[in-house]
Amino acid sequence: MDIVKVPLNQARSGINHFFSGKEPWQIVTVTTSSVLFLSWFYSFVFHDDESLLDRGKRTFFALMKHIPSIRKELESTKKEVLEAFENEQWERTKSLSYLRVLPKQGLKNEQIIRLVEENLNLGHYNWKEGHVSGVVYYCSTEWQQLITKVYEKTFLTNPLHSDIFPGVCKIETEIIQIVANLFHGTEDACGSVTSGGTESILMAIKTWRDYMRKTRGIKKPEMVLPRTIHSAFDKAAQYFCIKVKYIPVDPNTFKVDLKAMERAISKNTIMLGGSVPNFPYGTMDDIKAISELGLKYDIPVHVDSCLGGFLTVFMDQAGYDLPVSDFRLPGVCSISADTHKYGFTPKGSSVVLYKDKKYRHYQYTVTTDWPGGVYGSPTVSGSRSGANIATCWAALLHFGSEGYIQATKDIIQTARYIESELRKIDGLYIFGEPVTSVIAFGSKVFEIYRLATDLGKRGWNLNALQFPSGVHFAITHVHTQPGVADRFLKDVKAITAKLMEKPEKPTEGVLAYYGAAQTIPDRSIVGEFINYYIDAMYYIPDEKKQKTFLDSNGINSELN
Ligand SMILES: *Cc1c(COP(=O)(O)O)cnc(C)c1O
């Protein structure tokens, strides 16, 4: 008793002494601010979204930015970065005028078509000849004629109105059935056609968030995901207020660390994820093991096959081994697969699949009390063009399984050839074991961005990777044309040999910034730079800078 009393008495007299002679408003102010500070300090230390070190760093940098000299420096750097991005866009587009207002008189069809062509001719990368990684997955005249014909017949339709366009809904159902069948779904499988991989992923995550809230009462949802999973998962986390626990990948295999994944599972986990394959390295996670974790802890597993799905499902028949990663694994509950990548359909279509129909209501949104009527829709979009669905369906029917098996053979053969030749080049190494079409490589001898920069000068456009620095080449059907692979390898060999002569030289040009950005500990600055990059997509030049104008005949004429 006394042991407690003594310090309590001491504390009381100390506090009384501190406040003696103070006016009531002072006592109130000091007390309130102390409580506010303590409560901030408590949440700073015990809030578990980020490690204490990370939060310490972030707070430190946030405070640093208030120092006038640093703030000034930062502002001028930001201005330079924005101007550099805008200048690039200006240089690429300056031969044409920018329209700011509606033309007074409508232009004639042939004038508009000519303008479309002029705008399409901006940009200097020769993607048709296979100089660009990924992006364009297929190109052929017969296919293009089919797609445009189907587009012409269907672009006015809207599957939101199933009573008016029942045939478009039937076509969508057929796509889902066909794709579910490829991924070994049973007759219980279901899904939706979406506008792209990102939307498929958003839909699956919304489904699992709402399903786990309803059935498990999870109110602070978390996802446990490999660090290499596509950034669309981060977008979903931002949109839907879900926390992500990122799990590192093994530095040699570039597959997710399963032990760390298991440790990260908590009572708030709504979903586990894995990629087949992932975007950065083209390696695949051990989906069988993730499926088993999902079963052990009763958590849905999502497999992201957006990139490679339309290759992986045909690999076996094309003569290549690949571990099973679809609904045959009992823990796999949803899959995203992009038709608009290796399904060779026009951009704007993807499929999200669920193992069982009992999950799909969690994907839908329904509004019952709107004066405009009771409203329900399955995906993010309200109205959609039936043309995206019909052209997707047309492409699936055009290729058939034999067409896709042949395409898979051609693509994997090309990718394996490029991989094995790259492995022979002194100074380069491959990240892990690429399973399908993406080959990522780096160097322990020279800065790999120098190779990317020099390849750029020869017309090649690859993807830059970070942590660690690397580049990747996503092989599409366009790259299976004769000569493309050898042309690429010849250029890589020549440039690498040259770089090996002076391996210590630093990167120059735009990629030098990319390399430097990895070393900026304050990631919010990098984020702001990327906002400027996006701003530059919407760049509109100063009217005084513009050198041409569109005359009333729709001709870009020189301003004098
Ligand atoms: C492309 C891709 C996606 C989805 O991207 P979209 O551009 O929205 O189609 C998702 N995951 C992986 C691995 C991808 O490569």
Side-chain angles (χ1 to χ4, degrees):
M1 208 50 173
D2 283 353
I3 308 168
V4 186
K5 230 180 198 163
V6 175
L8 264 184
N9 276 334
Q10 269 179 1
R12 198 181 58 192
S13 68
I15 291 171
N16 282 344
H17 179 75
F18 179 78
F19 283 116
S20 73
K22 298 243 170 16
E23 291 184 22
W25 73 267
Q26 288 174 308
I27 298 176
V28 171
T29 312
V30 169
T31 315
T32 318
S33 36
S34 314
V35 168
L36 286 177
F37 174 79
L38 281 176
S39 125
W40 171 83
F41 187 74
Y42 180 86
S43 70
F44 181 80
V45 174
F46 295 104
H47 200 67
D48 66 351
D49 270 5
E50 257 180 307
S51 77
L52 192 58
L53 180 69
D54 284 346
R55 268 171 300 136
K57 270 202 282 193
R58 204 158 42 76
T59 312
F60 172 73
F61 289 120
L63 290 173
M64 291 269 285
K65 282 186 233 161
H66 290 294
I67 298 172
S69 61
I70 292 181
R71 191 163 66 194
K72 230 174 112 197
E73 181 79 15
L74 203 59
E75 287 307 318
S76 79
T77 310
K78 281 190 209 162
K79 203 161 157 257
E80 267 171 41
V81 169
L82 175 62
E83 278 169 7
F85 286 144
E86 288 190 339
N87 239 341
E88 275 191 357
Q89 180 64 358
W90 166 243
E91 287 299 327
R92 290 190 286 243
T93 58
K94 66 182 179 188
S95 58
L96 298 183
S97 60
Y98 274 77
L99 299 177
R100 290 153 214 268
V101 289
L102 206 52
K104 196 157 181 300
Q105 221 172 25
L107 300 180
K108 297 201 174 63
N109 285 7
E110 58 277 13
Q111 294 171 332
I112 297 168
I113 296 297
R114 209 199 48 250
L115 286 175
V116 168
E117 279 166 356
E118 283 178 0
N119 279 286
L120 277 181
N121 285 337
L122 300 176
H124 65 272
Y125 284 109
N126 194 345
W127 50 267
K128 279 187 190 149
E129 298 280 312
H131 280 200
V132 174
S133 160
V135 186
V136 180
Y137 289 76
Y138 191 84
C139 222
S140 91
T141 315
E142 198 194 339
W143 166 84
Q144 199 169 333
Q145 281 166 352
L146 170 72
I147 300 294
T148 38
K149 195 93 200 144
V150 173
Y151 187 89
E152 187 182 307
K153 290 181 185 300
T154 52
F155 72 96
L156 288 176
T157 66
N158 181 353
L160 188 63
H161 304 284
S162 56
D163 50 346
I164 303 169
F165 302 110
V168 176
C169 292
K170 173 177 171 288
I171 286 177
E172 176 170 4
T173 306
E174 289 173 3
I175 297 172
I176 298 159
Q177 288 298 311
I178 289 170
V179 180
N181 182 268
L182 291 172
F183 284 91
H184 296 271
T186 65
E187 71 267 26
D188 296 326
C190 64
S192 294
V193 175
T194 68
S195 62
T198 300
E199 192 184 353
S200 291
I201 290 163
L202 291 177
M203 290 296 85
I205 293 172
K206 183 213 177 287
T207 298
W208 298 128
R209 185 196 65 175
D210 291 356
Y211 173 75
M212 294 298 265
R213 188 179 175 108
K214 181 80 185 263
T215 59
R216 243 40 94 64
I218 295 179
K219 296 211 171 66
K220 286 187 169 173
E222 297 174 2
M223 296 187 278
V224 177
L225 303 171
R227 185 58 266 194
T228 46
I229 208 150
H230 193 268
S231 71
F233 288 76
D234 212 78
K235 184 181 266 190
Q238 294 180 34
Y239 282 1
F240 301 146
C241 298
I242 299 172
K243 179 176 158 184
V244 189
K245 285 187 177 166
Y246 283 115
I247 309 303
V249 292
D250 179 281
N252 295 312
T253 64
F254 293 86
K255 293 166 179 240
V256 70
D257 176 345
L258 293 160
K259 289 215 178 71
M261 191 167 218
E262 181 161 15
R263 279 197 303 275
I265 293 173
S266 78
K267 63 179 196 321
N268 288 325
T269 310
I270 56 151
M271 193 187 99
L272 308 177
S275 319
V276 187
N278 59 53
F279 174 85
Y281 308 116
T283 54
M284 74 178 269
D285 298 309
D286 185 345
I287 302 297
K288 185 160 177 282
I290 299 175
S291 156
E292 280 159 14
L293 279 182
L295 289 177
K296 182 171 168 190
Y297 294 95
D298 199 11
I299 296 168
V301 173
H302 180 86
V303 174
D304 180 20
S305 272
C306 278
L307 179 58
F310 270 81
L311 296 171
T312 58
V313 296
F314 299 111
M315 288 277 278
D316 190 28
Q317 288 155 288
Y320 293 97
D321 278 340
L322 194 79
V324 170
S325 63
D326 51 33
F327 290 125
R328 281 172 288 179
L329 298 173
V332 172
C333 296
S334 56
I335 295 176
S336 47
D338 283 357
T339 35
H340 74 188
K341 285 181 180 156
Y342 293 97
F344 309 140
T345 69
K347 280 283 179 274
S349 80
S350 167
V351 178
V352 59
L353 296 171
Y354 302 94
K355 175 191 171 135
D356 198 300
K357 292 190 178 69
K358 72 179 179 195
Y359 302 125
R360 65 179 171 189
H361 288 186
Y362 297 96
Q363 181 188 293
Y364 304 164
T365 44
V366 176
T367 311
T368 53
D369 302 336
W370 181 41
V374 179
Y375 187 103
S377 58
T379 57
V380 172
S381 320
S383 291
R384 290 185 286 165
S385 169
N388 274 4
I389 293 165
T391 53
C392 170
W393 180 84
L396 293 174
L397 299 188
H398 172 77
F399 290 99
S401 57
E402 278 179 12
Y404 286 116
I405 292 167
Q406 187 57 48
T408 304
K409 272 185 193 161
D410 296 343
I411 291 167
I412 303 295
Q413 199 174 31
T414 308
R416 298 275 154 103
Y417 171 64
I418 292 177
E419 179 196 340
S420 68
E421 291 298 308
L422 287 176
R423 283 190 193 277
K424 293 180 196 158
I425 300 176
D426 190 27
L428 295 182
Y429 73 96
I430 307 279
F431 291 84
E433 294 273 339
V435 290
T436 55
S437 57
V438 173
I439 308 150
F441 49 103
S443 174
K444 299 207 157 86
V445 191
F446 56 86
E447 285 186 10
I448 193 70
Y449 293 157
R450 289 174 66 200
L451 174 60
T453 305
D454 289 356
L455 279 169
K457 289 179 191 153
R458 296 186 185 210
W460 298 96
N461 183 304
L462 306 189
N463 303 73
L465 312 172
Q466 56 175 356
F467 310 124
S469 293
V471 288
H472 91 202
F473 193 175
I475 309 300
T476 72
H477 195 268
V478 180
H479 304 111
T480 63
Q481 301 173 71
V484 178
D486 283 320
R487 227 180 310 141
F488 173 70
L489 290 164
K490 191 165 148 259
D491 283 345
V492 175
K493 279 177 197 160
I495 295 167
T496 307
K498 196 113 186 89
L499 295 179
M500 291 293 276
E501 289 169 14
K502 282 201 179 115
E504 66 292 337
K505 268 182 64 178
T507 311
E508 286 166 10
V510 187
L511 279 174
Y513 292 114
Y514 213 85
Q518 288 177 74
T519 64
I520 301 178
D522 185 355
R523 306 308 290 165
S524 71
I525 296 181
V526 180
E528 286 183 58
F529 290 168
I530 298 308
N531 281 335
Y532 292 144
Y533 181 83
I534 300 171
D535 285 348
M537 291 176 171
Y538 298 105
Y539 169 70
I540 178 105
D542 199 301
E543 232 160 333
K544 289 197 280 295
K545 200 171 170 184
Q546 205 163 300
K547 294 188 178 63
T548 55
F549 76 106
L550 197 69
D551 68 17
S552 56
N553 293 318
I555 311 267
N556 274 294
S557 302
E558 294 281 327
L559 273 170
N560 37 37

